[in-house]
Amino acid sequence: MAVDASFAAILGLGLLLGMKHALDADHVVAVSTIVVENRKLWRSSLIGAFWGLGHTLTLLLVGIAILFFKLAIPEKLALGFEFAVGVMLVILGLLVARRIMRHRWHLHPHEHEGQSHLHWHSHTDTPEHHHAHLSMKSLLVGMVHGLAGSAALMLLVLTTMKSVGQGILYILVFGAGSIGGMMLLTTAISLPFLWAARLEAAHRAITAVASLVSIGLGLTIMYETLQAFR
């Protein structure tokens, strides 16, 4: 398939849009709840890559179906996908909160050199998470986000692409942009978490914030989606 100058420009725009798409607030919050469980910088990048792969896989499957069968995504279904993202964010936030509670952090009195003070203490160990689990979790989160973002992307594909091949190529380039953008994002997000991991109180505070923001944004998306249904 020959790629003319105008289509090459569209592909370039698709790459940039894919990278920008990775920066959407719900994407940032969702991956933050996963990155918080990780303690290695390169693994944070891997989490972003798996999110991007899941996101691209869903877009590709939906896009192929729409391009081949000339389907249109009903508005109600698109809203349903958005609602699912809200539910997912709430669940991710609750899972982080459960992790905090499972560690049973509490203030523990301690005496040192004749002076009594308090410090945080946990009665459970904090072993490394199973990294295959984190990768699969990120992949599934990306797939859900791909469904929610498919309506707008597919509308663009159907109205501007001259062939099925061009549409598929655009989706792949857009996906490559989202993978690269999310890898950079998760790497950047992981830095404060990795720094805070050295300080129990700071890590606990950042983790709690990630949980609350995820739950709050999820509930907001659910509410706004229900309002749009009316």
Side-chain angles (χ1 to χ4, degrees):
M1 179 184 63
V3 180
D4 58 29
S6 61
F7 183 58
I10 292 176
L11 290 180
L13 178 61
L15 183 68
L16 294 176
L17 288 176
M19 297 183 71
K20 179 180 180 297
H21 184 64
L23 301 178
D24 286 355
D26 55 327
H27 302 164
V28 175
V29 171
V31 296
S32 295
T33 64
I34 303 174
V35 169
V36 70
E37 302 181 50
N38 174 64
R39 299 297 176 94
K40 299 291 184 181
L41 192 63
W42 70 268
R43 287 177 181 140
S44 297
S45 299
L46 195 61
I47 287 172
F50 272 92
W51 179 94
L53 286 173
H55 186 270
T56 303
L57 178 62
T58 301
L59 288 179
L60 187 60
L61 293 175
V62 174
I64 289 174
I66 290 177
L67 290 167
F68 271 102
F69 301 108
K70 307 298 180 182
L71 301 176
I73 299 179
E75 183 181 358
K76 295 293 185 181
L77 182 58
L79 289 173
F81 291 152
E82 291 291 341
F83 187 84
V85 168
V87 173
M88 180 186 68
L89 287 172
V90 171
I91 292 174
L92 289 173
L94 290 175
L95 288 175
V96 174
R98 187 186 69 173
R99 181 168 174 261
I100 296 173
M101 296 300 295
R102 189 172 66 239
H103 291 164
R104 298 197 298 275
W105 290 100
H106 61 279
L107 283 172
H108 179 71
H110 179 70
E111 186 170 325
H112 181 65
E113 296 181 354
Q115 294 185 351
S116 179
H117 62 273
L118 299 174
H119 68 91
W120 287 95
H121 183 68
S122 172
H123 288 298
T124 60
D125 295 326
T126 56
E128 286 286 313
H129 261 260
H130 191 266
H131 301 296
H133 165 72
L134 291 183
S135 297
M136 182 58 65
K137 185 177 181 179
S138 184
L139 181 74
L140 294 175
V141 169
M143 292 179 70
V144 174
H145 276 136
L147 279 176
S150 61
L153 175 62
M154 291 310 114
L155 178 61
L156 176 63
V157 171
L158 288 175
T159 56
T160 63
M161 299 303 155
K162 298 178 181 179
S163 68
V164 172
Q166 283 192 353
I168 293 175
L169 183 57
Y170 178 87
I171 295 171
L172 291 175
V173 171
F174 183 95
S178 66
I179 291 172
M182 185 54 75
M183 288 182 68
L184 292 174
L185 178 65
T186 51
T187 302
I189 289 176
S190 69
L191 293 176
F193 287 112
L194 294 176
W195 170 80
R198 304 168 185 264
L199 305 171
E200 293 177 357
H203 188 265
R204 184 178 58 258
I206 294 178
T207 303
V209 169
S211 172
L212 292 174
V213 171
S214 185
I215 294 172
L217 181 59
L219 291 174
T220 300
I221 291 175
M222 291 167 65
Y223 173 78
E224 291 178 350
T225 304
L226 289 175
Q227 292 296 107
F229 265 111
R230 297 180 180 179

